[in-house]
Amino acid sequence: MSQREWVNAAIRKIEADFNRSADTHLIPLALPGFPGIDVYFKDESSHPTGSLKHRLARSLFLYALANGWLREGRPVIEASSGSTAVSEAYFARLLGLPFIAVIPASTSPEKIAAIEFHGGRCHLVERACDLNSASEQLARETGGHFMDQFTYAERATDWRANNNIAESIFKQMAEEPHPVPEWIVCSPGTGGTAATLGRYVRYRRHDTRILCADPEVSVFYDGYCGALAGDAEARQLQITGGSRIEGIGRPRVEASFIPSCVDGMVKVPDDLSLAAMRYVSARLGRRVGGSTGTNFVGVLQVAGQMRQAGRGGSIVTILCDAGERYAHSYYNPAWYPERGIDVAASDAAIAAAVAGHGLPDLPCAWLE
C-alpha cells in the first residue's frame, strides 16, 4: 500500500469512528443563590475515551495525517498529563500504530491503566517541564512522530464549524431561555479549547465572552496578565512544579494559548477547585474530575459579577472528565491532609458562594 493509500484509509477509519459517535450532553444545574442565571455543563466525559481530550486527539490525528506526518507502522509519541494520551492511544490503535505516552510520574494510576488498555506504552518523567524534550528524544530514537499537542492544539481544530465544541454548545443552547451564553468558562491545558471557543464566538458575532480558570500551580494566568500589559517576554514565563489539578495548568506558556482569544482569567486555589469538584459531584450524583471543579469556581466568579450588574442569562462550562480516574487522589480522604488541604473550610467557602454570599477574593484579569 502506498503512503497516500494508507493516509486515505486512516482518515476514513477516523471519520467512520466519528460517525458512530453521538454528541455529548448539555446538563443544566440550578444555582440557588443566582435566580435568573442558568448554568450548564457540557459533559465531555461521555466521549469513548472519557474526556474533552477525545475531540483534540481526533483533530490532531487528522491534522497530522493531512500534513503527511504519520506513516504506517511508525510510532506516535505525545507529551501529556494523561487524558490526551488516553485519547491518542485510542486513535493510534484504531490506525494500527504504536503509541508512547510521555507523562508525569505523578499521573493517576487509573489514567496509566487506561492508556495501556488502549494499547499505549507509558514513559514516565519526574518533571512536567521535561515532557516535551523527552518526547522529542523518543521521536528521534524511534523514527516516530511527536504529536505535540501543546503547539498544535489551537490550529488542528476547525474553529469555524465541523462540530467543534463551540458549535455543539450553541446548537444545544438554541431552545434554552437564554440561548446565547453570557459566558463560556473553560480551563487551559494546551489553550486549544479556549482558542476554539474565542474564535468561534467572534466569527459568529456572538456577544458571549470566554473566561479561563487557571489552577494554582500554572503560569497561564501570569502570561495572560503580561500579555495584557504589553510585556513582550510574557510568553517566555516559566515556573517550577506541576499542577495538582490533572489535565490543566502548565509550567510554561504554551504555543496554543492565545491570550487575545480570552476575555478574562481567574486564578483558582487548588482547595477551592477540589471543593467545587465535590459540590458538583454531589449535585450531579456522579463523580467529576478536578478540572471541572476549577471551571465551576470560574462559573461562580462570573455569576457573581452578572448578579451584581443586575444581569440574567446563561453560563456554559465544561465537565472535562469523570472522577473515577482520581479514586486514589481526589476521592481518597487521606490524600488531603497529606497535602495540607483543609476540606471543611473549602467546602464551606463553596457552599457560601453557591448560596450567593460571594467567593473569597481571587486574582482576576480582564481583556477589556
Side-chain angles (χ1 to χ4, degrees), residues 77 131-141 146 148:
I77 296 100
L131 289 177
N132 276 38
S133 59
S135 299
E136 291 166 351
Q137 182 176 343
L138 277 172
R140 288 192 297 269
E141 292 173 352
F146 173 31
D148 196 1

Side-chain angles (χ1 to χ4, degrees), residues 334-353:
W335 188 85
Y336 292 92
E338 292 171 359
R339 288 155 181 80
I341 295 175
D342 189 333
V343 171
S346 54
D347 282 348
I350 292 299

Side-chain angles (χ1 to χ4, degrees), residues 61 86 96 135 170 190 209 221 281 329 343 353:
F61 268 81
V86 174
S135 299
F170 278 90
T190 62
R209 289 169 289 175
Y221 177 82
S281 295
S329 56
V343 171

Side-chain angles (χ1 to χ4, degrees), residues 24-55:
T24 60
H25 299 290
L26 195 64
I27 303 171
L29 182 73
L31 291 184
F34 299 88
I37 297 176
D38 302 327
V39 173
Y40 303 82
F41 284 86
K42 180 66 167 159
D43 183 10
E44 295 293 284
S45 72
S46 58
H47 283 296
T49 54
S51 82
L52 168 67
K53 299 301 185 179
H54 193 84
R55 293 182 190 269

Side-chain angles (χ1 to χ4, degrees), residues 55 157-169 196 200:
R55 293 182 190 269
T157 300
D158 184 353
W159 49 268
R160 295 173 185 85
N162 195 25
N163 196 39
N164 65 44
I165 191 170
E167 182 184 48
S168 177
I169 286 170
T196 297
Y200 183 87

Side-chain angles (χ1 to χ4, degrees), residues 58-79:
R58 180 194 294 125
S59 295
L60 287 168
F61 268 81
L62 290 172
Y63 189 70
L65 286 164
N67 282 323
W69 295 341
L70 300 184
R71 304 191 74 84
E72 185 176 9
R74 301 282 185 88
V76 175
I77 296 100
E78 184 61 285

